[in-house]
């Protein structure tokens, strides 16, 4: 089958297996080129391992410090005549490369919020890997079925308290317009906390602890975003920000438990704004990212998920480094994004962007290219006119 991109709003409903594999290989090559990460993880559980920051973390653990990894994710498998979602192909590419390098790889495709997947993960760890010294919690999901109550919580991307009006861009059509988002009510905020907050991370840690599958001194980490004031009403101070406050609460609770259990640690890393399937769904943020990419590329500071996670592992978590924590106890790998000169440049451009000058003032071209790469399209060296087998099993 010849597979071409079919973009529908902020998703692409097709994915290219060869392109996804080439995209993953680039991240692997980057980690390898940066050299070994001393004192890095040897047995890592990555929850949300198939795309974005979770995939970047998995690659940094495996190819930076030869870690055995168990990856949990939720992807639609391929069918005879229908491509899979990209995380499926990413995982196959990662699995092939890691096994070729002699590393153990375990994969679990299913709902990480469920008790069933947690039990399956524990069984796989007990059978194949043993206790884990790193747990990465990198889920981004629009909904969660609560395993105790059965209630389906849906997350909202809304401001709190008052409506929010700002510029946004339709990245597909290239149209800049004003968008007004009505505030969430308390139920929507609570639902978002239920999906993207820390409860499920705590459930994973409790299950691992109870099964004696946490190695002494284990590290647990989850990710958040802070960003500049243009985005605060929709992110930091909005419903998703509420959930992230709860994730930070969970980090402190897990940290205390891990410290009592052999001197481990848990914390939050604040990562850079990047094009991922999760971030493309947030209003206003894609316009910010398009401007940010322009500035950061011009200054030679641009990084993708792979580079961010390699830097997190190599300069903060391991290699004998001390964590460089902010006043709220978080690691910052958004430090380059938040540099004063970068943020001033973004703030200068922001009010002037229109549909007409979008391509000139922002890196919308780069945004679109990165977006398509998430689905394996537009990757250098891949022949998109060639027949490709969409149906690939994950073994
Ligand atoms: P992503 O959409 O690329 O990845 C989400 C992952 O979660 C995928 O592996 C997916 O399969 C998995 N997943 C989703 N629902 C699941 C479920 N029910 N069960 C099992 N797996 C499931 O997202 P991302 O942008 O990499 O986000 C990961 C984390 O990083 C989030 O906490 C996000 O808030 C944070 N973050 C993202 C950005 C950004 O700009 N993208 C910036 C800073 C922090």
């Amino acid at each position: 089958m010849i597979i071409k991109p079919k973009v529908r709003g902020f998703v692409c409903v097709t994915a290219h297996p060869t392109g996804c594999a080439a995209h993953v290989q680039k991240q692997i090559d980057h980690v390898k080129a940066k050299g070994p990460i001393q004192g890095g993880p040897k047995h890592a559980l990555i929850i949300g391992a198939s795309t974005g920051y979770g995939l970047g973390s998995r690659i940094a653990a495996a190819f930076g410090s030869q870690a055995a990894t168990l990856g949990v994710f939720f992807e639609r498998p391929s069918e005879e005549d229908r491509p899979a979602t990209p995380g499926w192909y990413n995982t196959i590419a990662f699995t092939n490369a890691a096994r070729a390098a002699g590393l153990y790889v375990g994969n679990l495709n299913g709902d990480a919020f469920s008790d069933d997947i947690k039990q399956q993960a524990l069984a796989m760890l007990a059978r194949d890997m043993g206790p884990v010294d790193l747990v990465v919690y990198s889920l981004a999901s629009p909904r969660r079925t609560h395993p105790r109550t059965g209630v389906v919580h849906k997350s909202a991307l809304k401001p709190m308290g008052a409506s929010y009006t700002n510029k946004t861009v339709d990245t597909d059509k290239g149209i800049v317009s004003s968008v007004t988002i009505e505030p969430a009510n308390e139920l929507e905020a609570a639902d978002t906390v239920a999906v993207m907050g820390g409860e499920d991370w705590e459930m994973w840690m409790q299950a691992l602890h109870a099964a004696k599958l946490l190695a002494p001194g284990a590290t647990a980490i989850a990710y958040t975003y802070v960003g500049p004031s243009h985005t605060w009403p929709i992110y930091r101070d909005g419903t998703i920000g509420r959930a992230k406050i709860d994730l930070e609460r969970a980090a402190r609770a897990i940290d205390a438990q891990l410290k009592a259990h052999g001197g481990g640690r848990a914390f939050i890393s604040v990562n850079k704004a990047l094009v991922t399937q999760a971030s493309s769904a947030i209003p206003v943020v894609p316009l910010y990212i398009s401007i940010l990419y322009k500035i950061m590329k011009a200054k030679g500071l641009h990084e993708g998920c792979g580079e961010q996670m390699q830097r997190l592992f190599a300069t903060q978590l391991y290699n004998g480094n001390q964590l460089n924590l902010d006043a709220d106890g978080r690691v910052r790998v958004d430090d380059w994004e938040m540099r004063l000169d970068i943020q001033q440049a973004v703030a200068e451009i922001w009010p002037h962007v229109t549909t007409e000058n979008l391509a000139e003032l922002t890196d919308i071209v780069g945004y679109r290219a990165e977006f398509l790469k998430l689905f394996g399209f537009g990757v250098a060296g891949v022949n998109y006119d060639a027949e490709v087998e969409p149906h690939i099993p994950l073994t």
Side-chain angles (χ1 to χ4, degrees):
M1 153 179 211
I2 292 174
I3 308 175
K4 299 282 177 183
K6 282 190 196 160
V7 176
R8 303 277 179 270
F10 49 76
V11 291
C12 177
V13 295
T14 51
H16 198 283
T18 321
C20 287
H23 195 210
V24 168
Q25 189 58 46
K26 281 200 169 67
Q27 291 192 40
I28 294 173
D29 292 345
H30 172 77
V31 170
K32 282 179 162 173
K34 286 284 179 181
I37 297 169
Q38 305 299 338
K42 289 294 168 212
H43 299 95
L45 170 63
I46 318 286
I47 304 155
S50 53
T51 58
Y53 278 118
L55 174 63
S57 308
R58 190 178 200 184
I59 291 172
F63 291 94
S65 61
Q66 305 297 301
T69 59
L70 173 58
V72 182
F73 46 85
F74 207 8
E75 301 292 340
R76 193 190 67 231
S78 59
E79 294 167 33
E80 288 297 337
D81 51 0
R82 190 182 183 202
T85 48
W88 181 262
Y89 295 135
N90 291 344
T91 302
I92 289 169
F94 170 85
T95 301
N96 291 341
R99 286 189 184 148
L103 302 175
Y104 169 81
V105 178
N107 293 311
L108 205 44
N109 187 29
D111 182 5
F113 296 128
S114 69
D115 286 340
D116 177 42
I117 285 291
K118 289 185 178 72
Q119 289 310 317
Q120 287 189 46
L122 298 179
M124 281 178 82
L125 289 174
R127 191 186 66 214
D128 299 334
M129 246 171 72
V132 291
D133 49 26
L134 175 67
V135 180
V136 175
Y137 188 82
S138 187
L139 292 186
S141 175
R143 73 184 66 79
R144 170 181 176 215
T145 304
H146 197 284
R148 302 287 168 272
T149 63
V151 172
V152 179
H153 300 279
K154 290 189 179 154
S155 66
L157 290 166
K158 293 187 178 181
M160 295 298 304
S163 66
Y164 167 58
T165 300
N166 207 333
K167 269 184 196 178
T168 194
V169 64
D170 178 327
T171 51
D172 191 21
K173 300 197 176 82
I175 294 171
V176 178
S177 62
S178 172
V179 63
T180 297
I181 308 151
E182 295 306 321
N185 58 37
E186 283 303 322
L187 180 62
E188 287 172 307
D191 274 336
T192 309
V193 172
V195 180
M196 290 296 287
E199 187 191 29
D200 182 60
W201 186 21
E202 292 182 285
M203 286 179 166
W204 271 100
M205 298 307 296
Q206 277 153 13
L208 288 162
H209 177 66
K212 299 196 169 23
L213 285 168
L214 280 176
T219 295
I221 184 159
Y223 301 133
T224 192
Y225 180 64
V226 173
S229 55
H230 319 281
T231 62
W232 285 357
I234 190 70
Y235 200 99
R236 202 189 81 158
D237 298 338
T239 46
I240 182 75
R242 283 267 185 107
K244 294 300 186 181
I245 289 169
D246 189 63
L247 196 67
E248 291 183 27
R249 173 205 59 73
R252 288 188 291 275
I254 295 167
D255 187 61
Q257 286 151 12
L258 289 179
K259 286 211 160 45
H261 174 73
R265 56 188 179 167
F267 54 90
I268 300 285
S269 171
V270 186
N271 299 346
K272 178 191 178 191
L274 279 177
V275 184
T276 65
Q277 290 179 73
S279 70
S280 58
I282 307 174
V284 183
V285 168
L287 179 58
Y288 167 71
I289 292 180
S290 303
I291 304 174
L292 181 73
Y293 276 25
K294 175 134 187 142
I295 309 292
M296 293 192 80
K297 284 180 184 174
K299 291 188 185 267
L301 292 173
H302 180 65
E303 296 172 291
C305 289
E307 286 123 338
Q308 277 266 292
M309 294 300 93
Q310 194 282 334
R311 187 155 71 89
L312 172 67
F313 279 45
T315 69
Q316 294 270 350
L317 298 190
Y318 305 113
N319 269 344
N321 290 297
Q322 296 293 319
L323 294 175
N324 184 13
L325 301 174
D326 69 7
D328 295 313
R330 302 170 302 197
V331 172
R332 306 298 296 251
V333 284
D334 66 339
D335 48 353
W336 297 354
E337 169 183 354
M338 298 312 289
R339 257 172 45 170
L340 200 58
D341 58 328
I342 303 283
Q343 287 303 323
Q344 274 173 350
V346 173
E348 274 165 28
I349 290 174
W350 187 272
H352 302 293
V353 180
T354 62
T355 303
E356 290 68 37
N357 64 23
L358 182 67
E360 184 197 334
L361 293 190
T362 80
D363 186 28
I364 187 71
V365 173
Y367 183 101
R368 287 198 189 109
E370 281 304 312
F371 178 78
L372 286 175
K373 276 188 194 148
L374 299 177
F375 301 88
F377 297 107
V379 183
V382 177
N383 178 2
Y384 291 97
D385 295 321
E387 288 281 340
V388 61
E389 173 56 61
H391 192 32
I392 312 178
L394 179 57
T395 52

Short mmCIF file of all heavy atoms in Angstrom, two decimals, residues 33-74:
data_model
loop_
_atom_site.label_atom_id
_atom_site.label_comp_id
_atom_site.label_asym_id
_atom_site.label_seq_id
_atom_site.Cartn_x
_atom_site.Cartn_y
_atom_site.Cartn_z
N ALA A 33 25.31 9.17 19.81
CA ALA A 33 26.38 10.14 19.48
C ALA A 33 26.80 10.93 20.72
O ALA A 33 27.96 11.35 20.84
CB ALA A 33 25.90 11.09 18.39
N LYS A 34 25.87 11.11 21.65
CA LYS A 34 26.19 11.87 22.87
C LYS A 34 27.00 11.05 23.86
O LYS A 34 27.51 11.58 24.84
CB LYS A 34 24.89 12.36 23.53
CG LYS A 34 24.24 13.51 22.79
CD LYS A 34 25.00 14.79 23.08
CE LYS A 34 24.45 15.98 22.38
NZ LYS A 34 25.23 17.20 22.66
N GLY A 35 27.07 9.73 23.63
CA GLY A 35 27.91 8.88 24.47
C GLY A 35 27.18 8.30 25.66
O GLY A 35 26.05 8.70 25.98
N PRO A 36 27.83 7.35 26.35
CA PRO A 36 27.17 6.64 27.45
C PRO A 36 26.79 7.57 28.60
O PRO A 36 27.48 8.55 28.87
CB PRO A 36 28.24 5.65 27.93
CG PRO A 36 29.29 5.63 26.88
CD PRO A 36 29.19 6.89 26.11
N ILE A 37 25.68 7.24 29.24
CA ILE A 37 25.23 7.99 30.43
C ILE A 37 25.62 7.15 31.65
O ILE A 37 25.06 6.07 31.88
CB ILE A 37 23.70 8.24 30.36
CG1 ILE A 37 23.37 9.11 29.14
CG2 ILE A 37 23.20 8.88 31.65
CD1 ILE A 37 21.89 9.22 28.81
N GLN A 38 26.62 7.63 32.38
CA GLN A 38 27.15 6.85 33.50
C GLN A 38 26.14 6.83 34.66
O GLN A 38 25.52 7.85 34.96
CB GLN A 38 28.47 7.46 34.02
CG GLN A 38 29.54 7.63 32.95
CD GLN A 38 29.96 6.31 32.32
OE1 GLN A 38 29.80 5.24 32.89
NE2 GLN A 38 30.48 6.39 31.10
N GLY A 39 26.04 5.68 35.30
CA GLY A 39 25.15 5.56 36.46
C GLY A 39 23.68 5.62 36.09
O GLY A 39 22.83 5.87 36.94
N GLY A 40 23.38 5.44 34.80
CA GLY A 40 21.99 5.54 34.33
C GLY A 40 21.19 4.30 34.71
O GLY A 40 21.71 3.37 35.32
N PRO A 41 19.91 4.29 34.33
CA PRO A 41 19.03 3.18 34.70
C PRO A 41 19.44 1.88 34.02
O PRO A 41 19.99 1.88 32.92
CB PRO A 41 17.67 3.64 34.19
CG PRO A 41 17.97 4.58 33.08
CD PRO A 41 19.24 5.28 33.47
N LYS A 42 19.13 0.77 34.70
CA LYS A 42 19.39 -0.55 34.10
C LYS A 42 18.09 -1.30 33.84
O LYS A 42 18.03 -2.16 32.97
CB LYS A 42 20.29 -1.38 35.04
CG LYS A 42 21.72 -0.86 35.09
CD LYS A 42 22.41 -1.03 33.73
CE LYS A 42 23.73 -0.29 33.63
NZ LYS A 42 24.01 0.18 32.26
N HIS A 43 17.05 -0.94 34.62
CA HIS A 43 15.74 -1.59 34.46
C HIS A 43 14.68 -0.50 34.57
O HIS A 43 14.41 -0.02 35.67
CB HIS A 43 15.50 -2.65 35.53
CG HIS A 43 16.50 -3.75 35.50
ND1 HIS A 43 17.63 -3.77 36.28
CD2 HIS A 43 16.56 -4.87 34.74
CE1 HIS A 43 18.34 -4.85 36.00
NE2 HIS A 43 17.72 -5.54 35.07
N ALA A 44 14.11 -0.12 33.44
CA ALA A 44 13.21 1.04 33.44
C ALA A 44 11.81 0.65 33.00
O ALA A 44 11.64 -0.12 32.05
CB ALA A 44 13.76 2.12 32.51
N LEU A 45 10.82 1.20 33.71
CA LEU A 45 9.42 1.08 33.31
C LEU A 45 9.00 2.44 32.77
O LEU A 45 9.10 3.45 33.48
CB LEU A 45 8.56 0.70 34.52
CG LEU A 45 7.04 0.77 34.33
CD1 LEU A 45 6.55 -0.21 33.28
CD2 LEU A 45 6.32 0.51 35.66
N ILE A 46 8.54 2.46 31.52
CA ILE A 46 8.12 3.72 30.91
C ILE A 46 6.62 3.63 30.63
O ILE A 46 6.19 2.80 29.81
CB ILE A 46 8.87 3.99 29.57
CG1 ILE A 46 10.36 3.64 29.65
CG2 ILE A 46 8.62 5.42 29.09
CD1 ILE A 46 11.22 4.58 30.42
N ILE A 47 5.84 4.48 31.28
CA ILE A 47 4.38 4.46 31.12
C ILE A 47 4.03 5.63 30.18
O ILE A 47 4.22 6.79 30.54
CB ILE A 47 3.69 4.59 32.49
CG1 ILE A 47 4.18 3.46 33.42
CG2 ILE A 47 2.18 4.57 32.35
CD1 ILE A 47 4.08 3.78 34.90
N GLY A 48 3.58 5.29 28.97
CA GLY A 48 3.41 6.30 27.91
C GLY A 48 4.64 6.32 27.03
O GLY A 48 5.23 7.37 26.76
N ALA A 49 5.06 5.10 26.57
CA ALA A 49 6.41 4.91 25.99
C ALA A 49 6.47 5.03 24.48
O ALA A 49 7.56 4.90 23.93
CB ALA A 49 6.92 3.52 26.39
N SER A 50 5.34 5.26 23.80
CA SER A 50 5.35 5.05 22.36
C SER A 50 5.54 6.31 21.53
O SER A 50 5.85 6.22 20.33
CB SER A 50 4.05 4.37 21.94
OG SER A 50 2.94 5.11 22.42
N THR A 51 5.32 7.48 22.12
CA THR A 51 5.48 8.73 21.37
C THR A 51 6.01 9.80 22.32
O THR A 51 6.07 9.59 23.55
CB THR A 51 4.13 9.23 20.77
OG1 THR A 51 3.20 9.40 21.84
CG2 THR A 51 3.55 8.28 19.75
N GLY A 52 6.37 10.95 21.77
CA GLY A 52 6.67 12.14 22.57
C GLY A 52 7.76 11.94 23.61
O GLY A 52 8.78 11.28 23.37
N TYR A 53 7.51 12.52 24.79
CA TYR A 53 8.53 12.51 25.84
C TYR A 53 8.77 11.11 26.43
O TYR A 53 9.87 10.82 26.88
CB TYR A 53 8.16 13.51 26.94
CG TYR A 53 8.57 14.92 26.57
CD1 TYR A 53 7.64 15.93 26.41
CD2 TYR A 53 9.91 15.22 26.35
CE1 TYR A 53 8.02 17.22 26.05
CE2 TYR A 53 10.31 16.49 25.99
CZ TYR A 53 9.37 17.48 25.84
OH TYR A 53 9.77 18.74 25.48
N GLY A 54 7.75 10.28 26.44
CA GLY A 54 7.94 8.92 26.97
C GLY A 54 8.86 8.11 26.06
O GLY A 54 9.78 7.42 26.54
N LEU A 55 8.65 8.22 24.75
CA LEU A 55 9.52 7.52 23.80
C LEU A 55 10.95 8.05 23.91
O LEU A 55 11.91 7.27 23.93
CB LEU A 55 8.99 7.70 22.37
CG LEU A 55 9.86 7.14 21.25
CD1 LEU A 55 10.02 5.62 21.36
CD2 LEU A 55 9.27 7.50 19.88
N GLY A 56 11.07 9.37 24.01
CA GLY A 56 12.41 9.97 24.17
C GLY A 56 13.10 9.45 25.43
O GLY A 56 14.31 9.16 25.42
N SER A 57 12.34 9.29 26.51
CA SER A 57 12.90 8.77 27.77
C SER A 57 13.35 7.33 27.60
O SER A 57 14.40 6.92 28.09
CB SER A 57 11.84 8.81 28.88
OG SER A 57 11.25 10.07 28.98
N ARG A 58 12.53 6.56 26.90
CA ARG A 58 12.85 5.14 26.71
C ARG A 58 14.15 5.00 25.89
O ARG A 58 15.00 4.17 26.21
CB ARG A 58 11.68 4.46 25.98
CG ARG A 58 11.81 2.97 25.95
CD ARG A 58 10.63 2.28 25.26
NE ARG A 58 10.60 0.89 25.69
CZ ARG A 58 9.75 -0.02 25.22
NH1 ARG A 58 8.85 0.32 24.33
NH2 ARG A 58 9.81 -1.27 25.65
N ILE A 59 14.27 5.83 24.86
CA ILE A 59 15.46 5.77 24.02
C ILE A 59 16.70 6.21 24.81
O ILE A 59 17.77 5.59 24.71
CB ILE A 59 15.24 6.64 22.75
CG1 ILE A 59 14.19 5.99 21.85
CG2 ILE A 59 16.56 6.85 21.99
CD1 ILE A 59 13.74 6.84 20.67
N ALA A 60 16.54 7.25 25.62
CA ALA A 60 17.69 7.72 26.44
C ALA A 60 18.13 6.62 27.41
O ALA A 60 19.33 6.38 27.60
CB ALA A 60 17.32 9.00 27.19
N ALA A 61 17.15 5.92 28.04
CA ALA A 61 17.48 4.87 29.00
C ALA A 61 18.16 3.69 28.30
O ALA A 61 19.18 3.17 28.77
CB ALA A 61 16.22 4.40 29.72
N ALA A 62 17.60 3.28 27.17
CA ALA A 62 18.11 2.08 26.50
C ALA A 62 19.46 2.35 25.82
O ALA A 62 20.42 1.61 26.02
CB ALA A 62 17.10 1.59 25.47
N PHE A 63 19.52 3.41 25.04
CA PHE A 63 20.73 3.62 24.23
C PHE A 63 21.77 4.50 24.93
O PHE A 63 22.91 4.55 24.51
CB PHE A 63 20.35 4.15 22.85
CG PHE A 63 19.63 3.10 22.04
CD1 PHE A 63 18.24 3.03 22.03
CD2 PHE A 63 20.35 2.13 21.35
CE1 PHE A 63 17.58 2.04 21.34
CE2 PHE A 63 19.70 1.13 20.65
CZ PHE A 63 18.30 1.08 20.65
N GLY A 64 21.34 5.17 26.02
CA GLY A 64 22.32 5.94 26.81
C GLY A 64 22.95 5.10 27.90
O GLY A 64 24.12 5.27 28.23
N SER A 65 22.16 4.17 28.48
CA SER A 65 22.76 3.39 29.57
C SER A 65 22.36 1.92 29.54
O SER A 65 22.35 1.28 30.58
CB SER A 65 22.44 4.03 30.92
OG SER A 65 21.06 4.05 31.13
N GLN A 66 22.05 1.43 28.36
CA GLN A 66 21.85 -0.02 28.16
C GLN A 66 20.76 -0.60 29.05
O GLN A 66 20.89 -1.72 29.55
CB GLN A 66 23.18 -0.77 28.42
CG GLN A 66 24.35 -0.27 27.61
CD GLN A 66 24.11 -0.46 26.11
OE1 GLN A 66 23.91 -1.56 25.66
NE2 GLN A 66 24.11 0.62 25.37
N ALA A 67 19.70 0.19 29.28
CA ALA A 67 18.64 -0.29 30.17
C ALA A 67 17.73 -1.29 29.46
O ALA A 67 17.39 -1.12 28.29
CB ALA A 67 17.80 0.89 30.67
N ALA A 68 17.32 -2.31 30.21
CA ALA A 68 16.18 -3.12 29.81
C ALA A 68 14.95 -2.26 30.06
O ALA A 68 14.88 -1.55 31.07
CB ALA A 68 16.10 -4.38 30.67
N THR A 69 13.98 -2.27 29.14
CA THR A 69 12.81 -1.40 29.32
C THR A 69 11.51 -2.17 29.14
O THR A 69 11.41 -3.02 28.26
CB THR A 69 12.80 -0.22 28.32
OG1 THR A 69 12.81 -0.73 26.99
CG2 THR A 69 13.98 0.72 28.53
N LEU A 70 10.54 -1.85 29.98
CA LEU A 70 9.17 -2.28 29.74
C LEU A 70 8.38 -1.02 29.39
O LEU A 70 8.34 -0.07 30.18
CB LEU A 70 8.56 -2.95 30.98
CG LEU A 70 7.06 -3.29 30.87
CD1 LEU A 70 6.77 -4.22 29.70
CD2 LEU A 70 6.56 -3.93 32.16
N GLY A 71 7.79 -1.00 28.20
CA GLY A 71 7.03 0.15 27.75
C GLY A 71 5.54 -0.14 27.77
O GLY A 71 5.11 -1.20 27.29
N VAL A 72 4.76 0.78 28.33
CA VAL A 72 3.30 0.67 28.35
C VAL A 72 2.75 1.83 27.51
O VAL A 72 3.23 2.96 27.63
CB VAL A 72 2.76 0.75 29.80
CG1 VAL A 72 1.24 0.59 29.82
CG2 VAL A 72 3.43 -0.28 30.69
N PHE A 73 1.78 1.53 26.68
CA PHE A 73 1.25 2.57 25.78
C PHE A 73 -0.12 2.12 25.30
O PHE A 73 -0.54 0.98 25.56
CB PHE A 73 2.21 2.78 24.59
CG PHE A 73 2.67 1.49 23.98
CD1 PHE A 73 1.92 0.85 23.01
CD2 PHE A 73 3.85 0.88 24.43
CE1 PHE A 73 2.33 -0.37 22.48
CE2 PHE A 73 4.26 -0.34 23.90
CZ PHE A 73 3.50 -0.97 22.93
N PHE A 74 -0.81 3.03 24.59
CA PHE A 74 -2.17 2.72 24.11
C PHE A 74 -2.24 3.12 22.65
O PHE A 74 -2.45 4.29 22.33
CB PHE A 74 -3.17 3.52 24.94
CG PHE A 74 -4.53 2.88 25.05
CD1 PHE A 74 -4.78 1.60 24.57
CD2 PHE A 74 -5.57 3.55 25.66
CE1 PHE A 74 -6.03 1.01 24.70
CE2 PHE A 74 -6.84 2.98 25.78
CZ PHE A 74 -7.06 1.71 25.31
#
